[in-house]
Amino acid sequence: MVEHLQRYGVISSMKVAEVMETIDRALFVPDGASAYADSPMAIGYNATISAPHMHATCLQLLEQNLQPGMHALDVGSGTGYLTACFAIMVGPQGRAVGVEHIPELVASSIKNIEKSAAAPLLKEGSLSVHAGDGRQGWPECAPYDAIHVGAAAPEIPQALLDQLKPGGRMVIPVGNMFQDLKVVDKNTDGSISIRSETSVRYVPLTSRDAQLRGY
């Protein structure tokens, strides 16, 4: 999978390649699913796990903000795959936090992480996954150097902007029918710069009830 993404120019970073090889995607997809196919997959509860090329893209966009010792937040952490990747990158001195509003996914993601290379970080407490409304972020471990949002918001939630550290970067899909992956940089003076990276299609960032109803 990683070689394929490197061959097609999706992964140019050795660090990202290494992390995606370290965290085995097969541990984070439903049983019987073709784990390494480059496509998103349903994980139940009207949620999905992103395609490997989207995970690679987001990891590369955030790489400079996922250095050892840094703090990272994964909103809509789903099966826990990207949260585990973040934890490996920021290491035991850093902090990787997943927030997911479906409690059953939180419980299963913790089980997935326990089988993965990120298990020691979960045990030591530098990696954690919480049930909550990700639109509110996770103030307890803020501010964050890196924030990833795995569902499309109609606009960028203010709480997430507030929890982004000066010098930090957030990657978030924004839009309704038509969505762009936005790269949001908080400059050292606190001002915000936003650019569009690519067109994407994500499930909506919504309330738990709306998601379970099928939006």
Side-chain angles (χ1 to χ4, degrees):
M1 176 184 86
V2 172
E3 279 174 17
H4 174 86
L5 293 173
Q6 285 175 310
R7 197 161 53 241
Y8 285 93
V10 177
I11 298 179
S12 54
S13 155
M14 285 310 296
K15 181 73 185 161
V16 168
E18 196 179 293
V19 168
M20 289 183 73
E21 283 172 344
T22 301
I23 299 296
D24 186 355
R25 186 178 163 91
L27 301 172
F28 294 86
V29 298
D31 288 344
S34 50
Y36 308 115
D38 193 17
S39 60
M41 279 172 209
I43 56 172
Y45 311 97
N46 290 319
T48 58
I49 179 172
S50 293
H53 77 268
M54 280 314 308
H55 281 151
T57 297
C58 293
L59 285 168
Q60 289 201 154
L61 288 169
L62 291 168
E63 183 177 4
Q64 295 311 310
N65 298 81
L66 293 167
Q67 300 297 316
M70 289 185 173
H71 283 214
L73 174 66
D74 186 19
V75 172
S77 49
T79 66
Y81 175 79
L82 204 62
T83 322
C85 290
F86 286 175
I88 294 289
M89 290 178 84
V90 300
Q93 304 308 311
R95 196 75 174 75
V97 178
V99 181
E100 167 56 58
H101 60 190
I102 307 290
E104 294 86 349
L105 286 177
V106 174
S108 62
S109 69
I110 289 169
K111 289 198 176 80
N112 296 341
I113 291 166
E114 284 171 342
K115 295 180 212 150
S116 80
L121 299 166
L122 184 71
K123 195 161 183 252
E124 290 157 18
S126 63
L127 163 57
S128 59
V129 185
H130 308 272
D133 184 345
R135 296 172 296 183
Q136 303 305 317
W138 196 255
E140 195 183 306
C141 300
Y144 297 98
D145 300 277
I147 298 177
H148 167 267
V149 182
E155 55 200 26
I156 301 167
Q158 188 60 46
L160 298 182
L161 288 170
D162 292 345
Q163 289 172 38
L164 193 61
K165 190 184 281 190
R169 171 173 281 191
M170 168 165 39
V171 174
I172 177 170
V174 177
N176 294 308
M177 284 296 288
F178 300 98
Q179 303 162 7
D180 284 316
L181 189 67
K182 301 282 189 189
V183 177
V184 181
D185 288 309
K186 185 179 274 191
N187 305 313
T188 44
D189 63 1
S191 63
I192 300 288
S193 307
I194 303 174
R195 68 176 170 84
S196 293
E197 175 69 17
T198 184
S199 295
V200 290
R201 193 71 200 266
Y202 279 75
V203 297
L205 182 68
T206 181
S207 68
R208 182 172 61 197
D209 291 345
Q211 183 169 323
L212 292 173
R213 279 199 311 271
Y215 317 116

